[in-house]
């Protein structure tokens, strides 16, 4: 009997609660006959990835992880800065997906323009630089910060209300027709946010794992 | 018992053989617990979509089809010119995916640059115009034609050999690091082409249905 | 005696009042020795073109019209969404001009930047998508809606005052140095609007028919 | 009786033969009831405008000319480098058209992509810089030089044959679907070149004077 | 003994006070063993360069100056509109630097985004056109005017306070992470402005002469 | 007595020969009264930086180095991939320059278009991605590889001949009007290459240290 192909979703921070949140968020893609989706924290990761140093410090550990285990059919790096994406791709012939890239690309498949909800103001220049790098700025409506920490966002009670407020500003003032949640730890707010805004809301990890699943399925059959 | 959500994949031409090819190509996404994927020809469609008139003539029939049946959770328009995509989106609150858009976006999730294999030279200006419309030209390496008809491509014996030749030119002369197959009828050549070129090859219908599947699953749960 | 070449200006909606307005607006180009300019409503057209469905539903009827009569030296499609422009060009070897394209191009010949007055908010994403398609976004200062119907715009009394207000916002807040009137039914307001704003105001139908006239004259002599 | 409005077409070089060529080329726009089109050499101009020094040396003389005579309703600067265009616009409230700008804009109204035939290789970087300045590079297919002097181009016997050769390269190798003749002195070759290439060929002076004529007519009525 | 190479910094206006200001501003690059930096007013220049006519009227005199003296190793044109830059480059094989170009390029070496402080509102369209010409708009955060004359800016008492106010708006509202002072006469405000804003502030003449110095040194050794 | 400000030029690889080459190349900026320029290898660096893993592995060690010593007035990262540039900037309030960024920016101050000589074909996609990130692709003429190792380039005898050959292709086939040497180890070939090509040749380390020197001088005085 052939074993199911496995997709490794790596949370590059060591906050186990975020990893657990990823697992919950990805359950709808856990089909009986489909790929196995495994979420794992990066042991070497900081508790949250908020600075450029956090981003750059996990690149090589991610590469090592990706190189070390030949049993995965695809990898997903679950941090909205796509840390180590290029170096991981260099280190394996398996597909490696970054959630920021996949989140934006998936938003572009749904609507004319997209807006991004960032955790913090300080991440926005990094995200803008990355959008330029990807050549994907033309349909950006805007990016606005929650100004919360990753931890707060994942667990805080007022998070959803704040996300709705920011989402409305992106939609009504900036003209966004889809919203990308700019953090791996916001997934559980996707549906209520979409219900409130009535435009597509993209969880980037879900977007990336969807692409990984398709890639794996079509390679295997 | 809740019924499975259904995704309608519409082949805008009336060539039943192409529709059958889509069904075969999409089998790997047919999970027991997942959405039901239904492929259907557009009755009003021409036998192949090759000219701008072919493209424009199916827009309103596609709209009518999309509006007429409330039972689908998402739609995929399976023609590499994305005919009627905007008008279909206007006519329904369900997500509508175009395979050209999704094919290119998925290629961008896999590699730095992409190349497109078109059926015919005459489609390339239309594709280029559409890439500009989508704001997705920055990472295009090139587009080259097979110079075959849709029918020949779907069934002809020499098709794969010709695709490999064109794919090599896109890879080696134009610098493409992923290939998008620019037609809904090329799906069965995806794997051998990828094996020959050793860079990712994207079937656009598979790419779009993957995105549709993810969208449907995450909306439903 | 050689007959005068004829330019067919097609109003893709069936509102005869708009067609009459086009005729009036184009009189200054009706030279004794020049091309004959004929304005005609599209029988199959809706009363106004406001939605994407309106746009797409007239494409094939426009194509048929363009193909059916060999006696015209050039065609102008007089709707600011340029419906059917590509499919009409495919169907004839005579030049076919779209008023949106010509309106923007003519504004670019007059000033550093341009602003667009749209009829309705909902048209703006469609116009932006089209500007991207044409590769003409670099000098756009902004687009703002009147939020009136096509019919109101053509006949309403308060239209000019509202256009001046919107034009001032485009000029003073967005930095526009020329204004394109984003509708075929605004022509009679061109001069008073230009007098009020003191920057060039472009009526797109006048712009397109001017280009058509030049093309026809230089081909014929 | 109201006098006809007058359009001044300024040949910024002092080669009277080129000015005469402009007059011949513009005859088809000389309507009985229309604006009077007057062609004039710039007394201070060099014999041909080939270098950047030639371009820059005529800017202030052009400004002086434009400021000195209040009797013209519009001006056209008939040199494919659009010398002094901005400074002339600053000096008058009448419209001033540059033939390079109008030539490219008119080509964009005719076809998906355009190619430019330059006189000399050395002009191409200047033209490319100007295209970037205008924000009009997205649909450029290519520019290729004749490598002839302005004088040769205007009068030489082999010019047309060479233009056809270059035009074919732009069309077949670069993908141009319209051709802009990148010099004011090529007008008499427009029709035979178009007949040979079977794609639209734009004479930039004709394009600019057409736009000027429309502007003048619609302002006056 | 080999003489020191000389860099000629040309103030294209005839305001000797501005030239003196340049000399003061450039002292820190006056190394004993390094190039000699000579500042000179353009005799033919207007008292200040504020209009397009001012800009264009100095192009040919600058060219003559650059051509006339073979003793300089490099030239810097010290006006934020880079008048005559191309025509001067054509006239000499020595490097010619424009301060607007060098100011922006140097800002890009320091920060993600830049803002520009212009003297007057009317210069901004000219600067924007030039940024497009240089292909350097992607990282522009914004440009805002002081609305002072060149003379006021150089000597006025309230200038610094006004610059700080405008700089804060560029930083906090537009997102600039470096500031370019858009005039050759603002140099003495660079350090206090940088101290106040706490982001890099670039004096364009200092930027250009720095580049000239490097070029000269590396050519000579 | 105030001590001279110091600029630290970090060679991120541990090849002492390359560091020695940097020292030699930078001598012309070593002015008696100017900043002290200190070149240092990164102890943790690989022998050469050729892969993405090489690039990413030095980012955090560079950050640590930059943070650890408060005595430097500016830093230059001397590798044409600008490893760790953003993370170093985050870690210090002193200016940090990347040689790739400065090399390209300096080329843009010299000529209309630039070409890049890369060491190896595999670096080109990384460089292109970085150019897009910087928003500096508009004036790129092309990039071509030497297909030599870093070590060979620094010391090999045939290097100059090969560089001239590649430089000619960039100039004559791609239209480059300035050349950027895409490696820190090519400096000693700058002058002979420039002599051979007769267009400006930019050594990126010299370009970056020039900018650093100017920044330091103008901050200190």
């Amino acid at each position: 009997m052939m074993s199911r192909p496995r997709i490794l979703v790596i949370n590059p921070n060591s906050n186990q609660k975020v990893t657990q949140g990823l697992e919950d968020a990805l359950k709808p893609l856990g089909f009986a006959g489909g790929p196995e989706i495994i979420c794992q924290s990066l042991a070497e990761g900081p508790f949250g990835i908020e600075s450029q140093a956090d981003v750059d410090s996990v690149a090589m550990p991610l590469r090592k992880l990706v190189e070390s285990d030949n049993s995965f059919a695809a990898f997903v790096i679950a941090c909205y800065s796509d840390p180590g994406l290029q170096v991981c791709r260099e280190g394996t012939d398996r597909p490696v997906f970054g959630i920021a890239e996949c989140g934006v690309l998936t938003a572009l498949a749904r609507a004319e323009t997209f807006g991004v909800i960032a955790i913090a103001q300080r991440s926005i220049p990094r995200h803008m630089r990355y959008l330029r790098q990807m050549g994907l700025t033309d349909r950006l409506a805007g990016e606005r910060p929650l100004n919360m920490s990753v931890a707060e966002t994942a667990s805080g009670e007022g998070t959803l209300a704040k996300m709705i407020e920011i989402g409305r500003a992106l939609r009504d003032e900036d003209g966004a027709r889809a919203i990308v949640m700019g953090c791996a730890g916001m997934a559980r707010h996707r549906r209520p946010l979409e219900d409130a805004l009535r435009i597509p809301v993209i969880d980037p990890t879900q977007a990336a794992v969807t692409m990984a699943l398709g890639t794996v399925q079509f390679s295997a059959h």
Side-chain angles (χ1 to χ4, degrees), chain A:
Chain A
M1 195 198 88
M2 213 176 107
S3 63
R4 298 162 67 196
R6 301 160 75 221
I7 296 170
L8 182 62
V9 180
I10 312 171
N11 169 18
N13 70 46
S14 53
N15 184 339
Q16 202 57 39
K17 201 165 166 181
V18 170
T19 312
Q20 183 59 51
L22 296 177
E23 260 175 42
D24 294 346
L26 296 169
K27 286 223 171 89
L29 291 187
F31 301 110
E36 194 176 353
I37 298 165
I38 293 154
C39 298
Q40 181 178 323
S41 304
L42 183 73
E44 297 90 337
F47 192 70
I49 293 194
E50 301 184 8
S51 66
Q52 186 73 44
D54 294 333
V55 172
D56 285 6
S57 67
V58 299
M60 294 309 293
L62 284 166
R63 163 73 174 255
K64 220 174 348 173
L65 179 54
V66 157
E67 279 180 325
S68 68
D69 189 334
N70 217 11
S71 74
F72 293 102
F75 299 91
V76 173
I77 299 175
C79 163
Y80 197 75
S81 294
D82 288 356
L85 181 59
Q86 303 299 334
V87 81
C88 287
R89 283 183 177 161
E90 187 187 70
T92 176
D93 58 356
R94 310 298 158 89
V96 185
F97 297 88
I99 68 165
E101 189 165 53
C102 293
V104 170
L105 294 169
T106 298
L108 291 173
R110 297 294 303 282
E112 194 58 23
T113 54
F114 68 98
V116 180
I117 300 178
I119 298 284
Q121 178 64 47
R122 70 183 300 204
S123 318
I124 293 181
R126 186 167 70 240
H127 294 170
M128 291 303 300
R129 186 164 61 227
Y130 187 42
L131 273 182
R132 276 206 316 273
Q133 179 187 301
M134 294 187 289
L136 297 177
T137 54
D138 280 5
R139 288 160 68 187
L140 175 70
E143 175 158 356
R144 291 175 179 256
L146 288 182
N147 287 328
M148 294 171 139
S149 72
V150 173
E152 279 176 332
T153 310
S155 63
E157 295 186 7
T159 306
L160 177 60
K162 183 74 179 161
M163 290 177 81
I164 292 173
E165 178 197 325
I166 298 296
R168 281 192 183 131
L170 288 166
R171 184 193 63 191
D172 299 338
E173 292 172 45
D174 300 339
R177 291 292 162 265
I179 301 293
V180 179
M181 302 195 301
C183 177
M186 295 171 170
R188 69 197 181 90
H189 300 301
R190 200 199 67 77
R191 287 192 63 193
L193 184 59
E194 191 171 85
D195 289 345
L197 298 177
R198 307 187 69 82
I199 56 175
V201 174
I202 309 297
D203 174 70
T205 316
Q206 292 178 336
V209 177
T210 297
M211 283 184 167
L213 176 138
T215 303
V216 164
Q217 282 300 100
F218 293 115
S219 294
H221 296 89

